[in-house]
Structure formats: C-alpha cells, structure tokens
Amino acid sequence: MTDDISTVTVLGTGVLGSQIAFQTAYHGLPVVAYDIDDEALAAGRTRLTQLIDTYEAEVDGAADGTAKEAFTRIRLTSDLADAVAKADLVIEAVPEVLDIKKDTYRKLATLAPQSTIFATNSSTLLPSDLKDLTGRPDRFLALHFANQIWRFNTAEVMGTADTDPKVYAGVVEFANSIGMVPIELHREKAGYVLNSLLVPLLHAAAELAAGGYADPETVDNTWRIATGAPVGPFQIFDIVGLTTPYNLLSHGDEASQQIAAWLKDNYIDKGRLGVATGQGFYTYPTK
Ligand code: NAD
C-alpha cells in the first residue's frame, strides 16, 4: 500500500515549475503553485496561460476544453504556509542555487505537515545534499522532469538511503498517474540516467567538431546512420539550447574550456543559440 497523493503543491512557477503544475492539473489533480512575490506570480500566470495554447496545439484531446479546464485547477499564491498547508506532495522547482534550495527546505520543514512528501526537481544537486534540512529524510527524494514535460515525459525518481520505499513507490505511482514514464534509479547518481548518457555524448561530439576532426553534419550523420537514432548530437544541442552546455563547459577543465570558446566564437556570439533563436548548428523556420 502506498500513500495516496491527491493534493500537490509546486514551488516556483518558472520554466519547469509551470509545466509540472500544468501537467499535474491536466491529469485532474488540484494544484497550488507558489512563487515569491506578485511579480513572479504574474510571470508564472503568463507561462501557465501560454501552456493552454501549447497543450491545445500539441497534446491530443487538449483542445476540447481539457487544457482550459486544467488551468482552473491551479491556484497561485505567494504565501508559503498557505501553499503547503494541505499538500500531500510538494514538488520543489526553485532556482538551481544551493542557498535558495536550502532556505526553501528549512522553511518547508516547519510549515508543511509532517506527512507531506517533498520532491526536488533539481538537475545537478543530489537529494543527499538537502535531506538533512527537510525534517523528514524518509519522506524526501528527487523527482526530475525534462523540459517540455508534455512531449518528453520522463520522470526520474531517485531517493537517498533514507527514503522510505513506500514513499518512493507512491511517487512512482504519482508520476505514472500524471502521464509520465517513471525512470527508477536504485541509488543516487549525479545526472540521473538521462544526463549520465547525454552529457558525455554531447561533449564527445563537440570535441570532434571543435578539434577540427569532423563537421557537425558529419558527426550527426554518423550517429544517425550507424545507430538508427532519429537525431544526432548537434541536433540535440540545438533543441536543448547552447547556453546551458556553454556555461557548464566554461567552468570545466582546460579541454572543456577550449570547446566552450569554440561554441562562443562560432555560435553564441552570433546569436545562434539553437532552435529557440531559429539558428544553432542548423537553421530552423522562424514561427
Ligand atoms: P526558473 O528560473 O525558470 O524558475 C525558477 C522559479 O523559482 C522562478 O519563478 C522564481 O521566481 C522562483 N523562485 C525564486 N526564488 C524562489 C524561492 N526562494 N522560493 C520559491 N521560488 C523561488 O528555473 P527552472 O528552469 O524552472 O528550474 C527550476 C528547477 O528545475 C531547478 O532545480 C532546475 O535544475 C530544474 N530543472 C530545470 C530544467 C530546465 O530545462 N529548465 C529541466 C529539469 C529540471
């Protein structure tokens, strides 16, 4: 038997928080979405209303009123105590800044009922980095969604050694219930499954092109033809956007910094940031 999750609160209404809130509401659950002040909430509300259009255009069946209805199940607030008072599950999607995360869990530990499960959507921190602040290490784990949750519907579930298996199982069940494919990790791993695979692939591709060994098109062709994959690593770069990989590489070792410099000179400085800007390694039709 797992704990029933029927009320969800999402902290942060940014890129990912708004998507998590919308996806959860789309699958019928009431959602409270929290952000720090009225300005942040207004931006969150705009993101959520844009998601109505996106779901209507891209999700089968959403245009019959279901997406509009989903929006009505989301309540926005900047009062943290009120936001978490009745939550079975709090999904934290605040900025990827350790001090902000820590501060958030310190507050949550006292404000949320002891039965509330906390899940972090952090991409780079391990739940172990935060568990001692939660006041409930047995009811805390990572639940990591991908950008464009309605299309790329993986939800990586990763607990610490302290996470209660029943809590873990309940969160897996929840992920399933909101249309995600749960990706279960048995142990903590930086990068989860997806980025443990993807980051080395993208790095190797960039190394080949930046080192002058082969053009991006040739690298992509090789990957597609020889493995049957639908897209090559540089097409993936364009989808992800070049800014995040550039920031990561520029803080890496010397070889990574050389790749970062190549990205900057040839792409970033020319405004070629990927699909979102109409140009990256490839050119895309502008909307
Ligand atoms: P974002 O900057 O778009 O949104 C962060 C939101 O948190 C903003 O609305 C901001 O107002 C709010 N915020 C700021 N301080 C806060 C506080 N003290 N308490 C509550 N909310 C606060 O960030 P994002 O891209 O949505 O990332 C959020 C989390 O999701 C990060 O942990 C990130 O690693 C993770 N994530 C992001 C992506 C992605 O592609 N963007 C993918 C997977 C996971």
Side-chain angles (χ1 to χ4, degrees):
M1 233 346 241
T2 55
D3 293 352
D4 192 30
I5 295 173
S6 51
T7 52
V8 176
T9 294
V10 179
L11 304 184
T13 59
V15 175
L16 255 286
S18 59
Q19 295 180 16
I20 297 165
F22 200 90
Q23 180 73 14
T24 305
Y26 188 75
H27 283 266
L29 293 186
V31 177
V32 180
Y34 163 85
D35 216 307
I36 41 172
D37 54 26
D38 287 349
E39 199 182 323
L41 281 181
R45 185 182 297 278
T46 303
R47 280 193 196 91
L48 290 166
T49 48
Q50 285 166 349
L51 283 170
I52 299 176
D53 297 339
T54 305
Y55 274 59
E56 287 185 346
E58 297 186 24
V59 178
D60 281 349
D64 66 3
T66 320
K68 286 191 183 77
E69 223 181 90
F71 179 72
T72 66
R73 279 192 282 274
I74 304 171
R75 179 168 72 86
L76 289 146
T77 179
S78 58
D79 178 340
L80 188 58
D82 166 53
V84 301
K86 295 198 174 90
D88 294 326
L89 171 67
V90 171
I91 303 174
E92 170 270 304
V94 309
E96 193 72 348
V97 176
L98 185 58
D99 283 347
I100 297 182
K101 300 267 193 207
K102 283 186 167 173
D103 185 49
T104 302
Y105 284 104
R106 259 185 225 113
K107 288 181 184 147
L108 277 183
T110 57
L111 292 175
Q114 200 55 40
S115 58
T116 304
I117 298 169
F118 298 163
T120 180
N121 184 46
S122 175
S123 295
T124 61
L125 298 168
L126 292 173
S128 284
D129 299 334
L130 300 163
K131 68 176 182 183
D132 291 342
L133 300 160
T134 62
R136 67 206 65 205
D138 58 324
R139 302 182 78 71
F140 175 60
L141 75 179
L143 177 62
H144 184 239
F145 297 90
N147 193 13
Q148 301 193 9
I149 190 170
W150 61 95
R151 300 167 63 193
F152 305 122
N153 62 331
T154 54
E156 297 179 289
V157 190
M158 186 169 82
T160 72
D162 293 337
T163 309
D164 179 340
K166 276 195 287 188
V167 168
Y168 185 100
V171 171
V172 167
E173 203 172 294
F174 163 75
N176 246 319
S177 76
I178 62 160
M180 297 290 110
V181 177
I183 308 294
E184 298 186 40
L185 283 102
H186 303 311
R187 297 173 55 201
E188 281 187 290
K189 170 91 176 80
Y192 303 85
V193 172
L194 179 61
N195 280 336
S196 296
L197 295 167
L198 196 55
V199 171
L201 174 71
L202 297 187
H203 192 277
E207 205 172 8
L208 284 167
Y213 297 100
D215 296 334
E217 294 78 5
T218 305
V219 173
D220 278 1
N221 262 335
T222 311
W223 188 251
R224 282 194 306 259
I225 297 167
T227 70
V231 292
F234 288 101
Q235 289 173 288
I236 299 175
F237 261 116
D238 276 357
I239 294 166
V240 173
L242 271 54
T243 314
T244 304
Y246 168 74
N247 287 335
L248 289 174
L249 287 162
S250 57
H251 291 101
D253 59 15
E254 204 183 318
S256 299
Q257 286 178 28
Q258 277 172 13
I259 299 173
W262 171 80
L263 274 178
K264 183 173 187 302
D265 292 347
N266 293 285
Y267 300 95
I268 309 253
D269 284 354
K270 294 179 178 161
R272 298 170 66 146
L273 304 181
V275 177
T277 58
Q279 262 197 324
F281 291 99
Y282 300 93
T283 300
Y284 303 88
T286 41
K287 282 186 191 162

